[in-house]
Amino acid sequence: MPRRKVISKRETPSDPIYASPLATKFINCLMSQGKKSAAQNIFYGAMEQIKDKTKDDPVKVLKKAIDNVKPLLEVKSRRVGGSNYQVPVEVNPNRRLSLSIRWLVGFARARGDGKTMQEKLANELMDAANLRGGAVKKREDTHRMAEANKAFAHYRW
């Protein structure tokens, strides 16, 4: 960590098709082993499928899905007096976004329906936009865990 200057966040460039920095972030998170063009093909194919199925703007569906998956609270482990407590803390907005994208991509990969990753991703995004699917369930579980451990909130640091 620097002692003098505050490190500034770099701006994420907008993607060429939808002119949305959110789409660029999603593509970068979807990418594995540095294969960006493959990730772009998957993402844009999924967006086309969403456009065909919902007859709606796919960027709106993407934003709605991400907003529905963003967690407000999470638990962090805190060691006090020889025992570990799960302490509920609020989630930083940047971490909120990255967690939601990570969960959407992870549950899309683990999905059984659909032959291709494009179909899986499109189905997961549409489910998340309609408050269904694995990523929304993960957020609910995270909130439930934070609610259950509310008694340890005074250990927050």
Side-chain angles (χ1 to χ4, degrees):
M1 288 187 58
R3 293 175 184 267
R4 291 173 187 243
K5 272 197 229 171
V6 175
I7 299 172
S8 60
K9 288 288 280 183
R10 274 186 274 166
E11 285 295 315
T12 308
S14 300
D15 78 308
I17 295 180
Y18 295 108
S20 167
L22 187 62
T24 305
K25 249 185 187 31
F26 202 92
I27 289 169
N28 288 342
C29 199
L30 185 62
M31 174 173 55
S32 66
Q33 299 179 353
K35 298 187 176 184
K36 190 162 194 165
S37 59
Q40 285 174 332
N41 290 338
I42 291 168
F43 178 76
Y44 293 134
M47 294 301 255
E48 285 298 318
Q49 287 184 11
I50 290 171
K51 189 174 168 184
D52 293 340
K53 288 180 184 176
T54 62
K55 308 286 189 246
D56 195 15
D57 183 25
V59 178
K60 281 184 186 173
V61 175
L62 176 69
K63 282 182 182 171
K64 189 170 183 190
I66 286 176
D67 286 340
N68 287 344
V69 175
K70 281 182 182 176
L72 298 173
L73 295 169
E74 67 178 347
V75 290
K76 286 196 173 181
S77 213
R78 177 97 162 100
R79 188 167 178 86
V80 177
S83 56
N84 287 323
Y85 296 109
Q86 296 289 317
V87 180
V89 292
E90 266 187 53
V91 185
N92 185 8
N94 289 332
R95 181 166 165 75
R96 231 179 251 183
L97 178 65
S98 61
L99 275 176
S100 63
I101 292 174
R102 195 181 314 151
W103 290 346
L104 282 167
V105 170
F107 282 102
R109 283 195 179 120
R111 249 177 125 87
D113 65 341
K115 301 262 188 291
T116 64
M117 184 58 190
Q118 288 180 359
E119 292 173 22
K120 291 178 182 181
L121 183 61
N123 290 337
E124 185 65 35
L125 286 172
M126 286 188 295
D127 280 353
N130 295 325
L131 291 171
R132 296 191 309 263
V136 175
K137 188 178 181 312
K138 173 81 169 171
R139 187 206 55 186
E140 296 298 327
D141 291 346
T142 306
H143 282 182
R144 201 173 301 117
M145 181 84 96
E147 190 68 28
N149 290 302
K150 202 167 37 170
F152 305 120
H154 63 281
Y155 287 129
R156 207 177 305 139
W157 61 96

